[in-house]
Amino acid sequence: MIQRRKCTAVRQALARQAAVALLGPRQVGKTTLALELAEEGPSLYLDLEATEDRRKLDDPALFLRQYEDRLVVLDEIHRVPELFRALRGVIDQGRRRGHRTGRFLLLGSASMELLRQSGESLAGRIAHIDLGPFDALEVAGEDADLTSLWVRGGFPGSYLAEDGRASLAWRKDFIRSYLEREIPLLGPTRIPAEALERLWTMLAHNQGALLNASRLAAALMVSAQTTTRYIDLLVDLLLVRRLRPFHHNAAKRVVKSPKVYVRDSGLVHALLGIPDHFGLSGHPVVGASWEGFVIENVIAAAPDLAIASFYRTSAGAEIDLVLEIPGHGLWVFDIKRGLSARPEKGFHLACGDLRPSRCFFVNSGHDRYPITGGVEAIGLTDIMTTLAALE
């Protein structure tokens, strides 16, 4: 059993709020974490994909009133969006009877839609926590584990698979399930599975590239607006990250387009048909795959209020990741796979532009040491540990 770092955050949120929404892609471990927490005290678990459990909530106020003394876990809450309005009344009634915190743990796989629904009905009554795949700190940070985590990705079913072949098969099934089952259930407009699969694969081929919706649209033979809508959906499902450009330096000509990453490195490799580390090592995407893997892990370890972006100017200055961390200033990261690589001129130019509080060069090694220009070389698990310790 791999202990999830978000477990503590969920406990703390339940101690201060009546409801907590735990958001993340399907199969990322939300139910496992919720059931682990539910075992710590009286609880009730309802799976809203199950017809029998949905029927119990035909009159939610009447049913839930019987369970004011326990934590109620509502899984797949986005399947029953009309329930949010009822939960507001149940929470308010409970508060009048002294039941103020730790009432509901809501699990959902459609982040922005769920946030919108809960924001309308449960403002001031709910906390939101994102749960991603396993990260490097959760798998102990050993070299073999880190390589496996990069190649397989962090979804539990993939990372913990018996062997590489089983892991790849799990990821391909996951992709097919989203395309054929999950996405068609979202929204009134049907999105063709074939078109979305082609887009997802194109994003994997262009991992970490600047978003060019018109070019993608031409390849898909749809409009740029339609392509943007498809990308929006993948972002909302927490499957794709749109990393915005850092714009605070008005004197510089900075790029305005975001960079786009498929968030889980294992899905990148499955979409591209890369079976193992040997195949990845010789593939053109290897550098971009490592960059995206590091970015996801660093952001996962950063404080909740940190704002992530990248920096690039027409003059050649470039920073792979910029973190604005409240109370700690601007931290910047150059990311390169390998042990012999060093920061390039563009990174030093960018540091001169932004004058950050800390400059890091994240490589594939484990040693930590200073290099030129006030930059510190560091391994992935060490920088994650540093970030996780910030208050």
Side-chain angles (χ1 to χ4, degrees), residues 151-169:
V151 173
R152 297 185 176 193
F155 283 93
S158 176
Y159 179 72
L160 299 174
E162 182 178 356
D163 54 35
R165 180 177 297 180
S167 171
L168 182 59

Side-chain angles (χ1 to χ4, degrees), residues 172-336:
K172 288 185 174 181
D173 289 342
F174 175 89
I175 292 167
R176 182 57 51 192
S177 173
Y178 256 98
L179 292 169
E180 296 181 352
R181 179 175 179 270
E182 296 303 317
I183 291 173
L185 293 175
L186 298 171
T189 304
R190 177 174 174 79
I191 296 177
E194 181 180 355
L196 194 61
E197 183 176 21
R198 288 177 61 200
L199 173 62
W200 207 354
T201 303
M202 290 166 65
L203 294 178
H205 273 292
N206 293 279
Q207 179 79 334
L210 295 176
L211 175 59
N212 186 330
S214 297
R215 182 174 60 82
L216 293 171
L220 292 170
M221 292 183 291
V222 298
S223 69
Q225 184 178 12
T226 297
T227 299
T228 300
R229 181 166 59 89
Y230 290 177
I231 294 174
D232 287 344
L233 177 59
L234 292 172
V235 171
D236 291 348
L237 292 171
L238 301 174
L239 298 170
V240 164
R241 180 179 297 279
R242 200 162 29 206
L243 191 65
R244 68 177 183 85
F246 184 86
H247 278 314
H248 288 193
N249 195 327
K252 300 292 180 178
R253 294 183 59 188
V254 298
V255 300
K256 297 180 180 180
S257 297
K259 292 170 71 173
V260 181
Y261 296 86
V262 176
R263 293 184 60 167
D264 182 74
S265 58
L267 294 185
V268 173
H269 307 150
L271 287 163
L272 300 181
I274 300 172
D276 50 30
H277 184 256
F278 180 78
L280 176 59
S281 298
H283 196 281
V285 83
V286 61
S289 171
W290 173 256
E291 178 183 312
F293 173 69
V294 170
I295 285 174
E296 285 302 314
N297 276 270
V298 168
I299 292 175
D304 291 339
L305 297 179
I307 299 174
S309 60
F310 74 98
Y311 182 74
R312 183 183 295 181
T313 73
S314 58
E318 182 172 4
I319 293 174
D320 295 324
L321 178 64
V322 178
L323 286 182
E324 301 170 75
I325 307 176
H328 298 276
L330 209 64
W331 290 26
V332 300
F333 305 83
D334 191 22
I335 301 165
K336 292 289 187 297

